[in-house]
Amino acid sequence: MLVLCKHSFDGNSLTTGREALKCLANVMLLKASTRQIFVDLGYAPKAAELLKHDNRDDEFLGSRLLFLCTYDTQLDFTDLFNNNNLADSIDTNLARQAKYFAKLGKNQPGSINVLALSESLKLFFNLTQFYPDQIPALTKSLLHICKILTNVRLPSPPLQPPITYIINSLLNLDLELKRSHIFATNPLFPKFDPRCNVNRLYSVLDQSIRRYNEEELEQLACPLITLIRNIYSFAPPKVREHMRSLMLPSNEDRLKPLGRSESFSSYLLRLSTAAGAPSIRESIQHMLFELSDQDATNFVRNVGYGFAAGFLMSHKISVPASAMEAWSTGEYDTDTASIAASSRSGRTSISDQGGANIGGESTPKPKVGYRINPITGQRLDMENMEDTGPPMSNAEKEREAERLFVLFERLRATGVVDVENPVTKAYQEGRFEELED
């Protein structure tokens, strides 16, 4: 280790030094115990100094060494922040990468640029994870990361480096800028296009849910959905409205029972009930509930009771009886793709292009309304009411009535849904008829 370190940092030959650095990084990757030896020899500050060089090889190798030192060592990175300007060095390198990818256009990036960016972002994430007190200093790199996000080419399929590292690097930052007052405008919502970063994340998620199976999404997609949920929680009203229009069912989706089409929202709804992917299922359910302003009535109207019931019951959220009634949509004079709902006034409407605008941020005047099935989310006028099966016998009708009676009694006993048993109601109203054997 000592020989490798001396050739890496103390030698006179730049070429020999970089080759030694590669060997050193490989040794530290393969044998964890060598990382503490590297720290004990006092070379961690010299690795931090490598990041000050305007060279992608040095950025790659220095970031790799420091990244490995975040595991299985007693290295205190606070000293590197204070004495070696680690946050500034990382920020400068990310600024260079942002400029590089902005100029690259549709051309293929150089492999060393992608490798250096990946290592910088991996180190960046670990520092935000293990040194949360340094997050304000690291948050100044938010602008550069956002520029890289919007300019880097999406790989196919998308959830692979550097996209996954870009997403991870944003997870722990002070995105709302509560502790970091260094930007006049939040880089997530730039003035020239406040929706550009949201659109990019939407594109990544859209391509991901179409390209990966449930098991792969379970392993890869949760950080992306967590990031989208986090951004939605503090986004400006118009951006929140845009996010709802992208992710919630549209009027076109309601021509069929929700979840039956090939739209983005239908893929989300199907994944929200994926038995083999519990983490992604829970994340999507939470996201759809938050897109509905965490209101049970809006949630049921947006996704249908069939998709909402499991989430609401498992989280012991009661559903008002009014949510189980058919409701009306409308087509608007505006091009805004939104559902406008006010929980205080009880009005709900949906645009022709779809999505939700909950909370009355923009409430166009409806011209034409459609009645919606609260269970399936489908327009009632598009339902096929023809019964193609054989008629039920009297005995089958009686068994079906008994089954429904038991189901409604069980549902009412949970206390989650305040609903009156229709069988009991019919009996009280004298609408029961004795059937002959």
Side-chain angles (χ1 to χ4, degrees), residues 398-417:
E398 187 173 351
R399 286 197 299 271
E400 186 67 15
E402 291 175 353
R403 188 177 72 87
L404 288 174
F405 180 85
V406 172
L407 288 175
F408 270 93
E409 285 300 305
R410 287 178 178 174
L411 185 61
R412 190 168 62 86
T414 64
V416 175
V417 179

Side-chain angles (χ1 to χ4, degrees), residues 114-350:
V114 175
L115 289 172
L117 174 63
S118 297
E119 291 302 320
S120 290
L121 292 173
K122 286 162 59 179
L123 173 62
F124 187 92
F125 170 75
N126 273 19
L127 293 176
T128 62
Q129 184 76 9
F130 300 139
Y131 295 89
D133 56 313
Q134 298 294 336
I135 288 178
L138 293 167
T139 298
K140 64 182 177 182
S141 298
L142 176 60
L143 174 62
H144 311 312
I145 296 174
C146 288
K147 287 182 178 179
I148 296 170
L149 173 64
T150 55
N151 288 305
V152 70
R153 293 180 61 180
L154 292 184
S156 182
L159 289 179
Q160 54 182 302
I163 297 299
T164 48
Y165 298 139
I166 294 173
I167 292 169
N168 290 341
S169 70
L170 294 170
L171 290 176
N172 296 325
L173 289 186
D174 178 22
L175 298 181
E176 201 171 350
L177 305 181
K178 288 183 176 179
R179 293 183 291 167
S180 306
H181 307 285
I182 54 179
F183 301 111
T185 301
N186 193 319
L188 282 171
F189 317 110
K191 289 184 178 180
F192 67 89
D193 184 2
R195 304 180 300 182
C196 63
N197 290 301
V198 166
N199 287 340
R200 190 63 159 174
L201 293 174
Y202 164 78
S203 296
V204 175
L205 182 57
D206 184 31
Q207 294 182 37
S208 298
I209 62 178
R210 298 175 191 274
R211 295 294 302 275
Y212 295 104
N213 59 37
E214 290 181 5
E215 291 75 15
E216 291 170 327
L217 288 170
E218 178 77 358
Q219 298 295 323
L220 298 171
C222 285
L224 173 58
I225 295 175
T226 298
L227 178 59
I228 292 173
R229 290 173 55 196
N230 187 12
I231 291 174
Y232 179 81
S233 68
F234 64 87
K238 289 185 178 180
V239 177
R240 289 164 65 97
E241 180 180 338
H242 177 65
M243 294 176 73
R244 290 191 289 263
S245 74
L246 291 174
M247 299 184 186
L248 291 176
S250 66
N251 253 9
E252 186 177 351
D253 290 320
R254 296 180 185 276
L255 298 178
K256 300 177 181 179
L258 293 182
R260 298 283 182 87
S261 71
E262 294 302 307
S263 68
F264 172 80
S265 62
S266 292
Y267 273 93
L268 279 187
L269 289 175
R270 291 195 289 270
L271 283 171
S272 73
T273 59
S279 297
I280 201 72
R281 181 185 68 230
E282 188 74 7
S283 294
I284 290 175
Q285 288 176 343
H286 275 285
M287 181 174 70
L288 293 172
F289 186 61
E290 289 160 7
L291 288 168
S292 303
D293 275 2
Q294 303 186 48
D295 181 89
T297 300
N298 292 333
F299 186 43
V300 170
R301 289 177 173 177
N302 283 335
V303 305
Y305 187 73
F307 285 105
F311 175 83
L312 295 174
M313 289 185 179
S314 63
H315 292 83
K316 299 181 180 179
I317 301 172
S318 61
V319 181
S322 59
M324 303 299 293
E325 300 172 355
W327 54 283
S328 295
T329 69
E331 296 175 356
Y332 306 128
D333 293 319
T334 179
D335 288 332
T336 302
S338 65
I339 293 175
S342 172
S343 58
R344 288 177 292 184
S345 64
R347 296 181 308 234
T348 305
S349 48
I350 182 171

